Amino acid sequence: MNQHPPAIVVTRPDPDHRRLVERLAALHLRVLHCPAFHLEAIDGRELRAIFDPSGPFDLLLVTSPMAARVLIASLHHEILSNVRLVAPGKGTAGLLEQAGFGAGFPSHGGTSEAVLEIEALRSVRGLRIGICAAPGGRTLLAEELARRGARVSVLHVYRRVPLPPGRELLAQLASNVPTVVMITSLNAFEHFSAELGDTDRARWLKADFLVSSARLESACRKAGVARIQRAEGAGDEHMLAALASLLAQAGPNARD
């Protein structure tokens, strides 16, 4: 077994990775920040045009910290004050609350499945619900809420700009040091898996993966990942608890 301590790969985009990286560094772990995407807000005028002609929503799902930052920066205060807000977890809800907007969020998890369990989303027939996300994100929310009878509008308030796998990640995969990949986004996993060359992709799939949901675990297994630790959600506390559990076991296996 390789006795080197593992390198922890954090794939969250900037700036959402910062607190997690700080906490990992405080544990004296080697941390590599290797985002799959740069997040880019849409123009404020474009954002306001999404909201103004469409009239009021009964509820807005603000699906990420980036979505919260964009709405706070670009929308008139009364738009967010006059609608019920729901967030996937404490991080996004905290940003909204700091700006003066209360938001509900699940008591556990942070996955789409957990969001769908909260009281505000159980009886939504006839309600007009906006889902603030990036293209390709949170599709389960839109599908399930529409099935429950809501009138759903998916609002693309920011976009993901793909980034190539960085040199640090490639060097880590080529090394003999164990790798733990913290990943909370299926888009990020699929992007890196597609962009890596054959040799690096094989090394990537042999890493220990720490994932945030059952759906992401299933997708990783189907892609060929063998060693997976599932966290209870995507929040820092959940990911750190899952990492502690992983490191308390025999440890990440060395690559053959």
Side-chain angles (χ1 to χ4, degrees):
M1 179 181 294
N2 193 315
Q3 298 302 310
H4 288 289
I8 313 301
V9 176
V10 175
T11 58
R12 286 182 183 171
D14 182 61
D16 299 330
H17 73 293
R18 293 176 186 173
R19 185 175 300 176
L20 178 60
V21 166
E22 288 171 0
R23 295 186 66 176
L24 290 167
L27 297 173
H28 306 291
L29 295 168
R30 179 171 174 246
V31 186
L32 305 179
H33 180 224
C34 304
F37 303 102
H38 164 69
L39 302 183
E40 184 178 89
I42 69 170
D43 180 78
R45 289 173 295 181
E46 186 181 347
L47 176 64
R48 289 188 289 275
I50 291 174
F51 281 82
D52 292 346
S54 59
F57 288 96
D58 298 296
L59 187 148
L60 280 180
L61 283 173
V62 185
T63 63
S64 69
M66 182 62 177
R69 288 191 289 268
V70 173
L71 296 182
I72 292 165
S74 299
L75 290 184
H76 297 300
H77 190 278
E78 56 267 24
I79 293 177
L80 296 180
S81 297
N82 294 325
V83 66
R84 190 169 191 178
L85 301 175
V86 170
K90 289 192 291 186
T92 301
L95 289 173
L96 293 166
E97 289 166 3
Q98 288 169 21
F101 310 110
F105 58 92
S107 59
H108 67 282
T111 63
S112 293
E113 290 87 346
V115 173
L116 288 165
E117 290 177 6
I118 70 173
E119 186 66 32
L121 296 181
R122 289 181 183 172
S123 298
V124 296
R125 183 166 298 279
L127 295 184
R128 183 149 192 211
I129 297 178
I131 300 177
C132 303
R138 299 289 183 171
T139 55
L140 176 63
L141 288 176
E143 292 169 359
E144 177 59 21
L145 291 171
R147 190 192 68 79
R148 295 179 186 182
R151 292 179 291 163
V152 178
S153 298
V154 179
L155 312 173
H156 294 152
V157 301
Y158 66 99
R159 56 184 65 91
R160 300 183 185 94
V161 180
L163 297 173
R167 285 182 292 179
E168 271 195 321
L169 177 60
L170 298 178
Q172 173 60 29
L173 294 175
S175 75
N176 195 37
V177 177
T179 304
V180 175
V181 179
M182 284 186 160
I183 198 154
T184 59
S185 164
L186 178 58
N187 286 309
F189 175 76
E190 291 178 337
H191 172 66
F192 276 145
S193 297
E195 289 296 312
L196 291 166
D198 291 344
T199 299
D200 287 325
R201 186 184 306 109
R203 293 166 173 166
W204 162 259
L205 296 176
K206 287 183 179 180
D208 289 83
F209 276 74
L210 202 163
V211 303
S212 57
S213 71
R215 284 190 299 124
L216 184 50
E217 178 181 5
S218 176
C220 290
R221 289 200 187 280
K222 287 179 181 178
V225 179
R227 298 192 300 274
I228 303 176
Q229 180 81 23
R230 193 205 312 168
E232 292 186 5
D236 289 357
E237 296 298 336
H238 297 130
M239 298 299 282
L240 289 167
L243 178 64
S245 178
L246 176 66
L247 296 181
Q249 298 168 21
N253 297 323
R255 288 195 302 269
D256 296 332

